[in-house]
Amino acid sequence: MLTRCLIDTDALTENIQALRSTLSPGALMAPTVKGNAYGHGLELTARAFLEAGADWLCVDALAEARTLRSAGVEAPLYVLGYVGLDELEEALTLGCRLVLYNRETLERASALAQRMGVTARLHLKVETGNNRQGLAPDAALALARQVASAPGVELEGVASHFANIEDTTDHTYARYQSAAFADFCRALEVEGLRPRLRHMANSAATLLWPDTHMEMVRPGIAAYGMWPSRETLVAALLAERPRFELRPALTWSCRVAQIKEVPAGEYIGYGCSYRTTHPTRLAILPVGYYDGYPRSLSNLGYVLINGRRAQVRGRVCMNITMVDVTDIPAARLEGDAILLGACGEERITAEQVADWAGTINYEVTTRIGAHVPRQAAPGSAK
Ligand SMILES: *Cc1c(COP(=O)(O)O)cnc(C)c1O
């Protein structure tokens, strides 16, 4: 194959263990493997996380749960995203835990569970200020009461999600959300409702605030060895939290498909956006924006070849990218080019690519095409 991602499963293991070391005993580690495990490959990553001691896995959609169950994963799966009413039967067959924020889901899950002789385990999602998925506290409380009186269902969890904890070192709003969640849990308790699992912590909260861990945490990005943001890293340093060595796990590479010499004064690529000023040696890479290499890296990013930087020349195409190897005489046909990851002394981080592309590390790795094979790096555990 011409392009692939190698996953250092030892790094995944170490990240899970580092995160685990911050949890109070008994708290469940439920790393998030949505988005093809943030681009790292769903099955490979799920196995690595579970072997590293993850208790549950969080997925976004039923299809991901199906893939994991087909691959023999038996661990509890929590589906973070919406499961359609017509998908609920399969979700219950697969033993998924479901997020709950509407009456329709409750009624259908209750009816199905009774018919199937199973218990539907539901996690009520309460709004604390993100105004994305979930119900305002009053409506959530009313739905909780309905769960309590519906047959075949169990209110196993109560959840919420932070809006801006990783966007700033000023955590006033996140603290407010955390307090709102605690208020809601107390209101449930007043009604005699005590879901076994309260959970709200994403990576930033897991890293920064032990008091948000409660009975379960749902870290994503940190489990892959990336900080949620610079602000979170700064906040962790300021708070004198234990220093984590999060280790990035993904290396994306491709093989050089052609080496060519171009005279001075020639244009390179679509739009003639680059013109050589001297005789130039180019490496043609068989990767483009279709594969997830951002087009915004045109004339901006670089890749690593033989441990040295090779600048992107001209526009990134759908399936092809041109880089300058004039000063890398060792570059050769079918040699490796590193698009993301380390090579020799150099490393291209997802954060670097994100800065070039005007986005965040999350998007950089999740955008790597699903058709690009993910393989465990030789020498890493699996
Ligand atoms: C994606 C997601 C997470 C993980 O967030 P990170 O910032 O990657 O740690 C946790 N909870 C929910 C509901 C999510 O959608």
Side-chain angles (χ1 to χ4, degrees), residues 32 34 38 80 132 161 166 202-203 218-221 362:
T32 303
K34 65 191 180 191
Y38 288 47
L80 299 162
R132 190 174 77 164
H161 194 52
E166 59 273 299
N202 56 7
S203 293
R218 315 182 303 250
I221 196 86
Y362 294 71

